Amino acid sequence: MNTGVDELIRQGVAAARVGEKEEARRHFEEALRRDPDAVAAWLGLSGVVDSPEEKRRCFQRVLELEPENAEALAGLAWLDRQQTPAPPAEVLYCANHPNVETVLRCNRCNKPICVKCAVQTPVGYRCKECVAELQAHFFNAQPWDYPIAAAVTLFLSIFVGAFLPWLVSMLPYGWLFMFFLTPPISGSIAEAARRAVGRRRGRYTWLVASAAGVFGGMLGLVILWWQIGVLPWLTFLIFIVLHASTLSMRLR
Ligand SMILES: [Zn+2]
Ligand SMILES: [Zn+2]
């Protein structure tokens, strides 16, 4: 019986040597069917089976039979080396700072970005370039829009600044009325400025318009004082504060 096993193992080794794995496997398995403790057959089989699990089982069987078997120990060590290097998590480097590792990506262009380069938006992290590009679409003002918005606000504010605080100051507790009258009137001026620039959005429209509004209102007061000689400072003060804040809020 043992002679047959040795012959099968020899044939298996010969077949494995020329790359006939299936043939080799049949010989080794037949040898093991006849003698399950044939160490050489287990070692031979380990070389022709495909999966690491099968190879491991072969080596473990050898070590059960021969705990010091160098070939099986080396084989298991080799299998361990093959399996341990799990592919490391992808390390990203900021597109703007090549030395800075990061885990963030711009959710619009997918570019890796570090914390410094990331802009947190309501829809997630984005790179500054994408944010600037989107803002360029959002703020579509033309160069002339700022002087136009300033001129419209200035002109209307001179009128309102000259007449509204003065007329209201003649009412009893007039200053109280200013709190109700100013916001809608200033809102109308903001709306007029917005229409004058074709409703285009400018990043600094609110700033230009509220500056022009304050200047126009003061100019109106100066004209009133110069022409009529009155200075309704309390109603004017309430007006100018509410006027500036309404313009900046409505045009922001
Ligand atoms: Zn981007
Ligand atoms: Zn960066």
PDB file of all heavy atoms in Angstrom, residues 94-97 104 111-120 125-129 131:
ATOM      1  N   CYS A  94      -4.184  67.608   0.519  1.00  0.00           N
ATOM      2  CA  CYS A  94      -4.889  68.805   0.071  1.00  0.00           C
ATOM      3  C   CYS A  94      -4.375  69.247  -1.299  1.00  0.00           C
ATOM      4  O   CYS A  94      -3.168  69.272  -1.543  1.00  0.00           O
ATOM      5  CB  CYS A  94      -4.688  69.922   1.087  1.00  0.00           C
ATOM      6  SG  CYS A  94      -5.346  71.504   0.560  1.00  0.00           S
ATOM      7  N   ALA A  95      -5.288  69.603  -2.186  1.00  0.00           N
ATOM      8  CA  ALA A  95      -4.907  70.015  -3.537  1.00  0.00           C
ATOM      9  C   ALA A  95      -4.093  71.305  -3.517  1.00  0.00           C
ATOM     10  O   ALA A  95      -3.277  71.540  -4.398  1.00  0.00           O
ATOM     11  CB  ALA A  95      -6.153  70.197  -4.396  1.00  0.00           C
ATOM     12  N   ASN A  96      -4.289  72.136  -2.487  1.00  0.00           N
ATOM     13  CA  ASN A  96      -3.560  73.405  -2.406  1.00  0.00           C
ATOM     14  C   ASN A  96      -2.329  73.302  -1.518  1.00  0.00           C
ATOM     15  O   ASN A  96      -1.393  74.068  -1.663  1.00  0.00           O
ATOM     16  CB  ASN A  96      -4.474  74.502  -1.850  1.00  0.00           C
ATOM     17  CG  ASN A  96      -5.725  74.660  -2.694  1.00  0.00           C
ATOM     18  OD1 ASN A  96      -5.683  74.535  -3.912  1.00  0.00           O
ATOM     19  ND2 ASN A  96      -6.836  74.917  -2.037  1.00  0.00           N
ATOM     20  N   HIS A  97      -2.345  72.352  -0.577  1.00  0.00           N
ATOM     21  CA  HIS A  97      -1.218  72.155   0.330  1.00  0.00           C
ATOM     22  C   HIS A  97      -0.778  70.704   0.227  1.00  0.00           C
ATOM     23  O   HIS A  97      -1.282  69.857   0.979  1.00  0.00           O
ATOM     24  CB  HIS A  97      -1.631  72.489   1.759  1.00  0.00           C
ATOM     25  CG  HIS A  97      -2.206  73.872   1.912  1.00  0.00           C
ATOM     26  ND1 HIS A  97      -3.548  74.115   1.966  1.00  0.00           N
ATOM     27  CD2 HIS A  97      -1.592  75.076   1.981  1.00  0.00           C
ATOM     28  CE1 HIS A  97      -3.743  75.429   2.084  1.00  0.00           C
ATOM     29  NE2 HIS A  97      -2.573  76.028   2.096  1.00  0.00           N
ATOM     30  N   LEU A 104     -11.056  65.227   3.828  1.00  0.00           N
ATOM     31  CA  LEU A 104     -12.166  65.958   3.221  1.00  0.00           C
ATOM     32  C   LEU A 104     -12.012  66.041   1.719  1.00  0.00           C
ATOM     33  O   LEU A 104     -10.905  66.109   1.196  1.00  0.00           O
ATOM     34  CB  LEU A 104     -12.234  67.385   3.781  1.00  0.00           C
ATOM     35  CG  LEU A 104     -12.478  67.555   5.280  1.00  0.00           C
ATOM     36  CD1 LEU A 104     -12.387  69.024   5.641  1.00  0.00           C
ATOM     37  CD2 LEU A 104     -13.839  67.001   5.646  1.00  0.00           C
ATOM     38  N   LYS A 111     -12.319  67.465  -5.232  1.00  0.00           N
ATOM     39  CA  LYS A 111     -10.908  67.729  -4.972  1.00  0.00           C
ATOM     40  C   LYS A 111     -10.617  67.545  -3.484  1.00  0.00           C
ATOM     41  O   LYS A 111     -11.396  68.004  -2.658  1.00  0.00           O
ATOM     42  CB  LYS A 111     -10.646  69.178  -5.413  1.00  0.00           C
ATOM     43  CG  LYS A 111      -9.254  69.663  -5.252  1.00  0.00           C
ATOM     44  CD  LYS A 111      -9.070  70.939  -6.042  1.00  0.00           C
ATOM     45  CE  LYS A 111      -9.795  72.120  -5.410  1.00  0.00           C
ATOM     46  NZ  LYS A 111      -9.660  73.336  -6.233  1.00  0.00           N
ATOM     47  N   PRO A 112      -9.499  66.888  -3.105  1.00  0.00           N
ATOM     48  CA  PRO A 112      -9.171  66.798  -1.670  1.00  0.00           C
ATOM     49  C   PRO A 112      -8.822  68.183  -1.128  1.00  0.00           C
ATOM     50  O   PRO A 112      -8.073  68.924  -1.774  1.00  0.00           O
ATOM     51  CB  PRO A 112      -7.946  65.873  -1.638  1.00  0.00           C
ATOM     52  CG  PRO A 112      -7.873  65.251  -2.982  1.00  0.00           C
ATOM     53  CD  PRO A 112      -8.520  66.197  -3.951  1.00  0.00           C
ATOM     54  N   ILE A 113      -9.363  68.513   0.027  1.00  0.00           N
ATOM     55  CA  ILE A 113      -9.108  69.826   0.613  1.00  0.00           C
ATOM     56  C   ILE A 113      -8.850  69.665   2.101  1.00  0.00           C
ATOM     57  O   ILE A 113      -9.451  68.829   2.745  1.00  0.00           O
ATOM     58  CB  ILE A 113     -10.287  70.802   0.394  1.00  0.00           C
ATOM     59  CG1 ILE A 113     -11.631  70.073   0.587  1.00  0.00           C
ATOM     60  CG2 ILE A 113     -10.212  71.459  -0.967  1.00  0.00           C
ATOM     61  CD1 ILE A 113     -12.844  70.974   0.507  1.00  0.00           C
ATOM     62  N   CYS A 114      -7.907  70.483   2.617  1.00  0.00           N
ATOM     63  CA  CYS A 114      -7.643  70.437   4.051  1.00  0.00           C
ATOM     64  C   CYS A 114      -8.634  71.340   4.764  1.00  0.00           C
ATOM     65  O   CYS A 114      -9.427  72.040   4.148  1.00  0.00           O
ATOM     66  CB  CYS A 114      -6.204  70.853   4.348  1.00  0.00           C
ATOM     67  SG  CYS A 114      -5.869  72.598   4.126  1.00  0.00           S
ATOM     68  N   VAL A 115      -8.563  71.345   6.103  1.00  0.00           N
ATOM     69  CA  VAL A 115      -9.536  72.106   6.889  1.00  0.00           C
ATOM     70  C   VAL A 115      -9.454  73.592   6.552  1.00  0.00           C
ATOM     71  O   VAL A 115     -10.457  74.294   6.505  1.00  0.00           O
ATOM     72  CB  VAL A 115      -9.269  71.866   8.389  1.00  0.00           C
ATOM     73  CG1 VAL A 115     -10.222  72.683   9.229  1.00  0.00           C
ATOM     74  CG2 VAL A 115      -9.432  70.393   8.707  1.00  0.00           C
ATOM     75  N   LYS A 116      -8.215  74.062   6.271  1.00  0.00           N
ATOM     76  CA  LYS A 116      -8.047  75.479   5.946  1.00  0.00           C
ATOM     77  C   LYS A 116      -8.704  75.847   4.626  1.00  0.00           C
ATOM     78  O   LYS A 116      -9.161  76.963   4.432  1.00  0.00           O
ATOM     79  CB  LYS A 116      -6.553  75.811   5.845  1.00  0.00           C
ATOM     80  CG  LYS A 116      -5.939  76.274   7.136  1.00  0.00           C
ATOM     81  CD  LYS A 116      -4.516  76.731   6.860  1.00  0.00           C
ATOM     82  CE  LYS A 116      -3.714  76.817   8.143  1.00  0.00           C
ATOM     83  NZ  LYS A 116      -2.289  76.942   7.850  1.00  0.00           N
ATOM     84  N   CYS A 117      -8.700  74.898   3.681  1.00  0.00           N
ATOM     85  CA  CYS A 117      -9.209  75.189   2.345  1.00  0.00           C
ATOM     86  C   CYS A 117     -10.694  74.891   2.215  1.00  0.00           C
ATOM     87  O   CYS A 117     -11.299  75.234   1.211  1.00  0.00           O
ATOM     88  CB  CYS A 117      -8.440  74.393   1.302  1.00  0.00           C
ATOM     89  SG  CYS A 117      -6.696  74.816   1.275  1.00  0.00           S
ATOM     90  N   ALA A 118     -11.260  74.224   3.222  1.00  0.00           N
ATOM     91  CA  ALA A 118     -12.661  73.830   3.117  1.00  0.00           C
ATOM     92  C   ALA A 118     -13.569  74.964   3.571  1.00  0.00           C
ATOM     93  O   ALA A 118     -13.269  75.661   4.532  1.00  0.00           O
ATOM     94  CB  ALA A 118     -12.913  72.592   3.961  1.00  0.00           C
ATOM     95  N   VAL A 119     -14.635  75.149   2.857  1.00  0.00           N
ATOM     96  CA  VAL A 119     -15.659  76.109   3.244  1.00  0.00           C
ATOM     97  C   VAL A 119     -16.896  75.299   3.590  1.00  0.00           C
ATOM     98  O   VAL A 119     -17.361  74.496   2.773  1.00  0.00           O
ATOM     99  CB  VAL A 119     -15.983  77.086   2.087  1.00  0.00           C
ATOM    100  CG1 VAL A 119     -17.028  78.095   2.533  1.00  0.00           C
ATOM    101  CG2 VAL A 119     -14.723  77.774   1.604  1.00  0.00           C
ATOM    102  N   GLN A 120     -17.385  75.485   4.823  1.00  0.00           N
ATOM    103  CA  GLN A 120     -18.569  74.726   5.207  1.00  0.00           C
ATOM    104  C   GLN A 120     -19.806  75.454   4.705  1.00  0.00           C
ATOM    105  O   GLN A 120     -20.067  76.586   5.097  1.00  0.00           O
ATOM    106  CB  GLN A 120     -18.626  74.550   6.727  1.00  0.00           C
ATOM    107  CG  GLN A 120     -19.602  73.469   7.105  1.00  0.00           C
ATOM    108  CD  GLN A 120     -19.582  73.164   8.592  1.00  0.00           C
ATOM    109  OE1 GLN A 120     -18.905  73.830   9.362  1.00  0.00           O
ATOM    110  NE2 GLN A 120     -20.331  72.161   8.978  1.00  0.00           N
ATOM    111  N   TYR A 125     -19.044  70.374   2.692  1.00  0.00           N
ATOM    112  CA  TYR A 125     -17.754  71.030   2.505  1.00  0.00           C
ATOM    113  C   TYR A 125     -17.481  71.265   1.028  1.00  0.00           C
ATOM    114  O   TYR A 125     -17.682  70.386   0.203  1.00  0.00           O
ATOM    115  CB  TYR A 125     -16.635  70.178   3.097  1.00  0.00           C
ATOM    116  CG  TYR A 125     -16.615  70.212   4.595  1.00  0.00           C
ATOM    117  CD1 TYR A 125     -17.023  69.127   5.337  1.00  0.00           C
ATOM    118  CD2 TYR A 125     -16.196  71.366   5.258  1.00  0.00           C
ATOM    119  CE1 TYR A 125     -17.023  69.168   6.727  1.00  0.00           C
ATOM    120  CE2 TYR A 125     -16.183  71.414   6.641  1.00  0.00           C
ATOM    121  CZ  TYR A 125     -16.595  70.312   7.369  1.00  0.00           C
ATOM    122  OH  TYR A 125     -16.590  70.365   8.727  1.00  0.00           O
ATOM    123  N   ARG A 126     -17.008  72.473   0.733  1.00  0.00           N
ATOM    124  CA  ARG A 126     -16.650  72.788  -0.644  1.00  0.00           C
ATOM    125  C   ARG A 126     -15.323  73.538  -0.654  1.00  0.00           C
ATOM    126  O   ARG A 126     -14.950  74.180   0.328  1.00  0.00           O
ATOM    127  CB  ARG A 126     -17.735  73.653  -1.287  1.00  0.00           C
ATOM    128  CG  ARG A 126     -18.959  72.816  -1.540  1.00  0.00           C
ATOM    129  CD  ARG A 126     -19.925  73.485  -2.430  1.00  0.00           C
ATOM    130  NE  ARG A 126     -20.856  72.493  -2.949  1.00  0.00           N
ATOM    131  CZ  ARG A 126     -22.004  72.792  -3.514  1.00  0.00           C
ATOM    132  NH1 ARG A 126     -22.343  74.054  -3.682  1.00  0.00           N
ATOM    133  NH2 ARG A 126     -22.786  71.844  -3.961  1.00  0.00           N
ATOM    134  N   CYS A 127     -14.631  73.447  -1.812  1.00  0.00           N
ATOM    135  CA  CYS A 127     -13.377  74.177  -1.936  1.00  0.00           C
ATOM    136  C   CYS A 127     -13.689  75.647  -2.214  1.00  0.00           C
ATOM    137  O   CYS A 127     -14.781  75.996  -2.655  1.00  0.00           O
ATOM    138  CB  CYS A 127     -12.503  73.571  -3.025  1.00  0.00           C
ATOM    139  SG  CYS A 127     -13.097  73.813  -4.699  1.00  0.00           S
ATOM    140  N   LYS A 128     -12.692  76.506  -1.965  1.00  0.00           N
ATOM    141  CA  LYS A 128     -12.913  77.945  -2.134  1.00  0.00           C
ATOM    142  C   LYS A 128     -13.204  78.302  -3.581  1.00  0.00           C
ATOM    143  O   LYS A 128     -13.970  79.216  -3.868  1.00  0.00           O
ATOM    144  CB  LYS A 128     -11.673  78.705  -1.641  1.00  0.00           C
ATOM    145  CG  LYS A 128     -11.617  78.722  -0.124  1.00  0.00           C
ATOM    146  CD  LYS A 128     -10.396  79.443   0.398  1.00  0.00           C
ATOM    147  CE  LYS A 128     -10.419  79.472   1.920  1.00  0.00           C
ATOM    148  NZ  LYS A 128      -9.115  79.515   2.524  1.00  0.00           N
ATOM    149  N   GLU A 129     -12.575  77.551  -4.499  1.00  0.00           N
ATOM    150  CA  GLU A 129     -12.769  77.846  -5.917  1.00  0.00           C
ATOM    151  C   GLU A 129     -14.219  77.620  -6.317  1.00  0.00           C
ATOM    152  O   GLU A 129     -14.811  78.418  -7.041  1.00  0.00           O
ATOM    153  CB  GLU A 129     -11.836  76.983  -6.770  1.00  0.00           C
ATOM    154  CG  GLU A 129     -10.352  77.330  -6.649  1.00  0.00           C
ATOM    155  CD  GLU A 129      -9.747  76.920  -5.311  1.00  0.00           C
ATOM    156  OE1 GLU A 129     -10.281  75.991  -4.659  1.00  0.00           O
ATOM    157  OE2 GLU A 129      -8.755  77.540  -4.900  1.00  0.00           O
ATOM    158  N   VAL A 131     -16.823  77.642  -4.337  1.00  0.00           N
ATOM    159  CA  VAL A 131     -17.671  78.631  -3.675  1.00  0.00           C
ATOM    160  C   VAL A 131     -17.600  79.956  -4.436  1.00  0.00           C
ATOM    161  O   VAL A 131     -18.621  80.596  -4.703  1.00  0.00           O
ATOM    162  CB  VAL A 131     -17.245  78.804  -2.203  1.00  0.00           C
ATOM    163  CG1 VAL A 131     -17.941  79.995  -1.579  1.00  0.00           C
ATOM    164  CG2 VAL A 131     -17.565  77.543  -1.421  1.00  0.00           C
TER     165      VAL A 131
END
